[in-house]
């Protein structure tokens, strides 16, 4: 499958303020988008990791840094797990 490039315009004064190379900023934006889409439930953790370009450990560290959980189970999932544990 072919990768898609999406151009993003960033004013030069912001680039100067950030004091980062275009590649560094691209990497930061890619991770930020992956985290956002994972948090919104639009990507699974596997696909978000793939998009971020990070290892699973690095991605989970980034989630923790953003105060976001690695998983966000629904009440139904938690209750089902509780019932399963009770049967053990």
């Amino acid at each position: 499958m072919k990768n898609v490039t999406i151009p993003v315009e960033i004013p030069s004064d912001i680039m100067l303020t950030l004091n980062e190379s275009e590649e560094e900023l691209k990497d930061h934006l890619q991770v930020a988008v992956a985290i956002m889409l994972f948090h919104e439930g639009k990507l699974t953790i596997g696909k978000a990791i793939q998009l971020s370009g990070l290892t699973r450990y690095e991605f989970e560290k980034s989630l923790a840094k953003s105060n976001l959980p690695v998983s966000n189970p629904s009440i139904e999932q938690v209750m089902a797990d509780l019932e399963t544990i009770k049967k053990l």
Side-chain angles (χ1 to χ4, degrees):
M1 193 167 222
K2 184 176 132 179
N3 288 339
V4 176
T5 300
I6 301 173
V8 176
E9 289 186 31
I10 299 178
S12 57
D13 62 319
I14 291 177
M15 287 299 294
L16 287 171
T17 301
L18 293 173
N19 195 29
E20 291 185 347
S21 70
E22 286 183 28
E23 189 63 29
E24 289 170 322
L25 183 57
K26 178 194 140 311
D27 292 344
H28 284 137
L29 290 173
Q30 200 160 330
V31 171
V33 168
I35 288 171
M36 177 191 72
L37 293 173
F38 172 71
H39 179 65
E40 291 177 356
K42 293 182 177 183
L43 289 180
T44 63
I45 193 161
K47 289 296 182 186
I49 290 167
Q50 181 183 354
L51 176 60
S52 75
L54 302 175
T55 65
R56 183 177 185 106
Y57 174 75
E58 292 168 330
F59 187 74
E60 288 183 9
K61 239 172 79 170
S62 294
L63 287 175
K65 201 170 162 184
S66 300
N67 293 317
L68 295 172
V70 172
S71 72
N72 196 10
S74 68
I75 295 294
E76 292 80 20
Q77 290 169 319
V78 172
M79 296 307 288
D81 289 347
L82 185 58
E83 289 302 317
T84 302
I85 291 169
K86 285 179 182 178
K87 292 177 185 177
L88 296 177

